[in-house]
């Protein structure tokens, strides 16, 4: 441990949709952090808190799973942590969270964990819902029959949490060193008995049931040494051990054990007819109406991004403008003031102005997730998704991709089929993420008039939607191509639980928004800021002799054309920028991007955007604040007055604007995404294919658009 | 429900509204997955909805709601 003091690690484990994360959020609040470690991408959340009795506890929120026989990567990670005592998330104590309204189905995993000899507390969650559904539970009796301490809580309201803390405290003050028992609840068959006895030579410190699990997972568990694995597999071969039939045997036997237990402790009023969720699903998963609702939700999502986020954005934009202006007039002029106003503040403003849109997008997406709509979307589109080599669950990734490709790519871990998962990973970055919003906003504001068409639709909002649709279209088309190209004979399946609709827990929504905005501001912001500053340097410095010549040349020309002092100053700045290192860089790539309608200034922004798309705006802000004296103008206004020196027409006309927009829709301009794809696919092959493929599509579509519109 | 020559009633190609009790599963992989989600032999099962575009089934088993494809539904044999 970092602190050098052994902290008790308490894991929250439970089936998907058991309300585990709500509970975790309630307990840990803003203290949680997402663990990310070299080698594997782990998005396991953890947080350190102190219990009321003073003992300090490190909470870990594991992904949900149904039993100890995982099918997806997410679930495998949990099983690995539980079996490997050296794993950094290996728990000392497990808080097993079960939805009390689905108790019977949620007891299976608890039953297995008990045989693994973990100290356990059974947390019956959603007790508030149970009361509403007139469901009575005898927690004391259940505790007695299962021989596990039981606490009833509500992760929504926090009811019962103090009892949970007390129970954990009691458990911790008892000796919780893992016992090893050879008599679990599960009664082995002869084959399993023989097998686990033989395996004792390889895993002497493991209980019989743990040894059995090692046998089931012999193929993939990464912490088994090569020699142990050979030994293990040969024992399995001698016993003709087949995993699946024994899994079914075990699980069935466990059900026989606890089904009567549940029946004896639970009093439930039998309800006739359909539940509220079932009735609602009659509409929301309906062939026609369900699709209309889905499209309606998407349209609402993107329209609201444009209309609701407008005023806070203007506020931030103008705020930064006036701060810059104030500093420029009140600080002594010099390179530092210039750096502060043109480099730092221009760059910073370029980041912060997009927080309202990012927050809003994550706010709406996490509400959809919270109420349970996302799994319905997966169900609705599974068949269609299969056409494109995807899975219904890919829908969740594609929608989250609308916020950020990184969490979206991580969410594909629930897809069991490798081929479907890989295709989802490869095409997700085509979906317009929040980092593209800045670019879209600036450029649409420039080239598309703000008009109302068809009474309610804002033309700019529609253009926004069209860009998103182009991304989706490209994603699906690539899926088709990849499905045909990537060969696989592994079976694919979809078994998806559709949880009951619930009102969103606002704490969860708030925490998601806070976490994403914070990540954007800190992570993306760091890159944007560094690049803005580097760019400011490159744009203000150049080869000394050439810079001096350019200055003289500008003065001569100004005198010749009899320009005013201000105009002469602007001309000098423009000449200097062109001669600077940044200018040289942009001019070098200009021949390549000229057919797309881009000049060297846009070229500089394109180059920096390959680090991260949102850098575009910061770059533009830095470049264009250099040539101007009027600090009152926002970036959008500055771009609008920019003229093409050859034609005298606005630089950002429709053709250039659309061409640039299309480039940003399709190009793979995000280093962080490439890094995540590399980690998730375990090779450079896929991120490289993704990078070159997407950038080629971007170049070609921009080329075609510009040549047609010009 | 569709009668197959072995006299098995299979929960696929079935219609919305069909009810039954699970007898066994034909595919071990699917069996393991379904059992661990709480759908066991002896569970009642009812088809509530069907996804658009010839997609999967929305199945109810007691308090559990599961979406599954045709392939999975095919391996559920009813009593």
């Amino acid at each position: 441990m970092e602190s050098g003091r052994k902290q008790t690690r308490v894991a929250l484990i439970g089936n998907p949709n058991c309300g585990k994360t709500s509970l975790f959020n309630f307990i840990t609040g803003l203290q949680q952090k997402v663990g990310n470690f070299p080698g594997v991408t782990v998005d396991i959340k953890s947080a350190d808190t102190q219990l009321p009795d003073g003992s300090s506890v490190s909470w870990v929120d594991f992904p949900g799973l149904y039993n100890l026989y995982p099918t997806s990567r997410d679930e495998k990670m949990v099983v690995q942590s539980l079996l490997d005592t050296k794993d950094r998330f290996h728990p000392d104590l497990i808080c097993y969270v079960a939805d009390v309204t689905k108790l019977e189905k949620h007891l299976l995993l608890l039953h297995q964990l008990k045989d693994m000899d973990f100290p356990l507390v059974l947390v019956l969650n959603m007790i508030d819902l149970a009361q509403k559904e007139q469901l009575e539970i005898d927690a004391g009796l259940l505790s007695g029959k299962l021989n596990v301490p039981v606490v009833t809580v509500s992760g929504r309201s926090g009811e019962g949490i103090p009892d949970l803390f007390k129970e954990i405290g009691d458990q911790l003050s008892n000796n919780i060193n893992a016992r090893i028992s050879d008599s679990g609840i599960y009664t082995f068959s002869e084959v399993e008995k023989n097998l686990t006895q033989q395996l004792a030579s390889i895993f002497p410190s493991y209980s019989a049931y743990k040894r059995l699990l090692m046998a089931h997972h012999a193929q993939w568990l990464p912490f088994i040494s090569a020699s142990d694995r050979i030994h293990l597999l040969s024992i399995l071969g001698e016993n003709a051990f087949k995993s699946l039939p024994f899994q079914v045997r075990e699980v069935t036997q466990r059900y026989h054990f606890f089904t009567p237990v549940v029946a004896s402790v639970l009093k439930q009023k039998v309800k006739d007819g359909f539940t509220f969720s079932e009735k609602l699903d009659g509409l929301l998963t309906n062939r026609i109406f369900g699709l209309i609702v889905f499209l309606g939700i998407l349209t609402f999502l993107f329209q609201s991004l444009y209309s609701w986020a407008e005023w806070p954005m203007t506020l931030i934009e103008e705020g930064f403008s006036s701060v810059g202006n104030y500093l420029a007039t009140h600080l002594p002029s010099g390179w530092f003031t210039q750096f502060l106003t043109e480099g730092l503040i221009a760059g910073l403003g370029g980041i912060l102005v997009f927080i309202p849109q990012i927050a809003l997008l994550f706010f709406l997406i996490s509400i959809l997730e919270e109420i349970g709509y996302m799994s319905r979307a997966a169900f609705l589109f599974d068949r269609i998704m299969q056409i494109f080599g995807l899975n219904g669950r890919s829908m969740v990734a594609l929608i989250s991709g609308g916020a950020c490709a990184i969490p979206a790519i991580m969410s594909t871990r629930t897809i069991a089929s490798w081929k479907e998962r890989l295709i989802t990973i490869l095409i997700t970055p085509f979906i317009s993420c929040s980092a593209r919003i800045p670019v879209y906003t600036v450029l649409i504001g420039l080239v598309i008039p703000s008009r109302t068409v068809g009474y309610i639709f804002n033309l700019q909002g529609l253009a926004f939607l069209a860009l998103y649709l182009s991304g989706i279209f490209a994603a699906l088309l690539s899926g088709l191509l990849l499905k045909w190209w990537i060969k696989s004979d592994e079976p694919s399946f979809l078994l998806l639980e559709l949880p009951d609709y619930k009102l969103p827990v606002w704490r969860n929504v708030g925490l998601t928004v806070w976490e994403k905005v914070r990540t954007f501001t800190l992570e993306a912001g760091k890159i944007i800021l560094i690049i803005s500053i580097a760019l400011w340097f490159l744009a203000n410095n150049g080869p000394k002799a050439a810079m001096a010549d350019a200055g003289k040349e500008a003065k001569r020309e100004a005198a010749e054309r009899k320009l005013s002092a201000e105009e002469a100053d602007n001309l000098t700045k423009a000449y200097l920028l062109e001669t600077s290192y940044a200018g040289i860089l942009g001019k070098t790539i200009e021949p390549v991007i000229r057919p797309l309608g881009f000049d060297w200034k846009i070229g500089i922004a394109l180059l920096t955007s390959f680090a991260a798309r949102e850098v575009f705006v910061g770059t533009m802000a830095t470049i264009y604040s250099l040539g101007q004296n009027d600090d009152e103008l926002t970036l959008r206004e500055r771009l609008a007055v920019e003229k093409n020196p050859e034609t005298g027409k606005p630089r950002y006309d429709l053709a250039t604007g659309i061409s640039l927009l299309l480039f940003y829709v399709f190009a793979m301009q995000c280093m962080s995404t490439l890094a995540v794809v590399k980690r998730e696919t375990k090779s450079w092959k896929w991120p490289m294919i993704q990078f070159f493929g997407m950038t080629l599509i971007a170049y070609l579509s921009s080329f075609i658009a510009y040549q047609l519109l010009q | 429900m569709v009668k197959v020559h072995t006299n098995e009633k299979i929960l696929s190609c079935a219609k919305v509204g069909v009810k039954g009790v699970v007898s066994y599963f034909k595919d071990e992989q699917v069996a393991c997955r379904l059992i661990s989600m709480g759908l066991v032999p002896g569970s009642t099962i009812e088809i509530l909805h069907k996804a658009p575009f010839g997609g999967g089934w929305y199945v109810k088993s007691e308090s559990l709601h599961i979406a599954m494809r045709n392939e999975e539904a095919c391996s559920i044999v009813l009593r």
Side-chain angles (χ1 to χ4, degrees), chain A residues 382-401:
Chain A
D382 182 56
R383 184 73 197 86
I384 289 259
M385 292 278 126
Q386 281 184 66
I387 298 175
F388 302 104
L390 307 168
N391 180 296
R393 287 177 192 266
S394 312
M395 203 65 208
V396 179
L398 295 182
I399 296 175
S400 331

Side-chain angles (χ1 to χ4, degrees), chain A residues 242 244-245 248, chain B residues 25-33:
Chain A
K242 276 211 175 89
L244 271 173
V248 176
Chain B
F25 306 99
K26 291 210 287 187
D27 181 296
E28 270 179 345
Q29 190 88 47
V30 176
C32 195
R33 196 76 187 147

Side-chain angles (χ1 to χ4, degrees), chain A residues 388-446:
Chain A
F388 302 104
L390 307 168
N391 180 296
R393 287 177 192 266
S394 312
M395 203 65 208
V396 179
L398 295 182
I399 296 175
S400 331
C404 176
I406 294 167
I409 284 170
M410 293 208 203
S411 77
T412 62
R413 288 175 189 172
T414 54
I415 300 173
S417 147
W418 165 244
K419 181 177 170 177
E420 289 173 345
R421 182 167 166 233
L422 180 61
I423 297 179
T424 313
I425 289 175
L426 292 177
I427 67 166
T428 295
F430 271 124
I431 304 300
S432 291
C433 61
S434 49
R436 283 166 173 109
I437 297 175
V439 186
Y440 292 177
T441 312
V442 168
L443 292 175
I444 286 179
L446 270 177

Side-chain angles (χ1 to χ4, degrees), chain A residues 60-77:
Chain A
V60 182
D61 183 24
F62 279 107
L65 81 165
Y66 290 105
N67 66 7
L68 295 175
Y69 301 110
T71 50
S72 69
R73 188 186 147 176
D74 243 0
E75 298 169 337
K76 281 184 176 171
M77 228 159 55

Side-chain angles (χ1 to χ4, degrees), chain A residues 440-708:
Chain A
Y440 292 177
T441 312
V442 168
L443 292 175
I444 286 179
L446 270 177
V447 298
I448 310 281
S450 175
R451 272 214 318 261
T452 306
V453 285
Y455 299 109
I456 45 167
F457 297 108
N458 182 306
L459 194 61
Q460 292 185 337
L462 288 180
F464 217 79
L465 190 66
L467 292 176
Y468 273 85
L469 290 178
S470 320
I472 294 168
F473 184 70
L476 294 181
L477 220 57
S478 318
L480 216 53
L481 205 71
L482 290 163
K483 182 192 175 189
W484 164 79
W485 186 49
I486 302 170
K487 298 275 171 260
S488 156
D489 46 345
E490 136 194 75
S492 95
F493 61 90
L494 178 92
L495 285 174
L496 191 69
E497 195 178 333
L498 301 160
D500 287 342
Y501 287 109
K502 289 187 193 86
L503 284 175
V505 178
W506 297 109
R507 188 183 315 107
N508 296 351
V509 176
L511 276 170
T512 307
V513 172
W514 185 81
E515 187 198 311
K516 303 296 173 185
V517 167
R518 199 181 76 120
T519 312
F520 173 82
T521 320
L522 294 183
E523 296 304 314
K526 230 185 302 178
I527 300 177
I528 296 170
L529 209 58
I530 289 170
I531 290 184
S532 301
I533 292 166
L535 203 72
W536 177 86
F537 176 82
L538 290 177
N540 275 288
N541 293 278
K544 278 223 167 64
M547 290 292 267
D549 284 349
K552 274 183 219 151
E553 175 67 23
K555 264 191 201 120
R556 199 185 53 77
E557 199 186 316
E560 213 169 73
R561 286 163 57 189
K562 300 198 174 72
L563 296 177
S564 70
E566 193 180 308
E567 283 170 328
D569 197 31
N570 277 345
L571 191 72
T572 310
K573 280 182 172 170
Y575 267 63
L576 287 178
L577 177 63
E578 210 170 332
T579 323
S580 69
Y581 293 121
I584 294 169
L585 211 62
K587 293 234 156 176
T588 315
I589 65 158
E590 200 179 43
V592 184
I593 56 172
R594 181 150 286 237
L596 312 184
F598 306 159
D599 64 0
W600 58 274
K601 284 187 180 177
I602 301 176
I604 299 172
L606 279 189
L607 281 182
T608 54
S609 292
F610 275 96
R613 298 177 176 94
E614 54 273 40
V615 168
F616 174 83
V617 179
T619 306
M620 295 304 255
T622 311
I623 293 176
Y624 284 104
S625 65
L626 294 168
Q628 302 283 339
N629 275 336
D630 193 349
D631 283 313
E632 295 279 316
L633 288 179
T634 64
L635 176 60
R636 256 186 267 181
E637 292 160 331
R638 275 178 196 163
L639 294 181
V641 298
E642 174 81 358
K643 293 274 188 295
N644 184 336
E646 286 162 29
T647 59
K649 289 185 183 141
R651 167 82 265 170
Y652 293 91
D653 57 2
L654 192 67
T656 302
I658 298 285
S659 164
L660 197 52
L661 280 169
L662 286 176
F663 195 88
Y664 275 85
V665 171
F666 299 127
M668 179 67 224
Q669 299 163 296
C670 181
M671 290 195 298
S672 326
T673 303
L674 287 172
V676 168
V677 172
K678 194 248 159 190
R679 277 185 294 188
E680 294 291 311
T681 62
K682 296 196 186 84
S683 88
W684 275 112
K685 179 183 164 190
W686 298 113
M688 283 299 112
I689 287 174
Q690 197 174 33
F691 176 77
F692 287 109
M694 289 179 70
T695 307
L696 184 70
I697 293 171
Y699 189 88
L700 290 178
S701 49
S702 290
F703 178 79
I704 293 167
Y706 182 72
Q707 298 300 334
L708 287 180

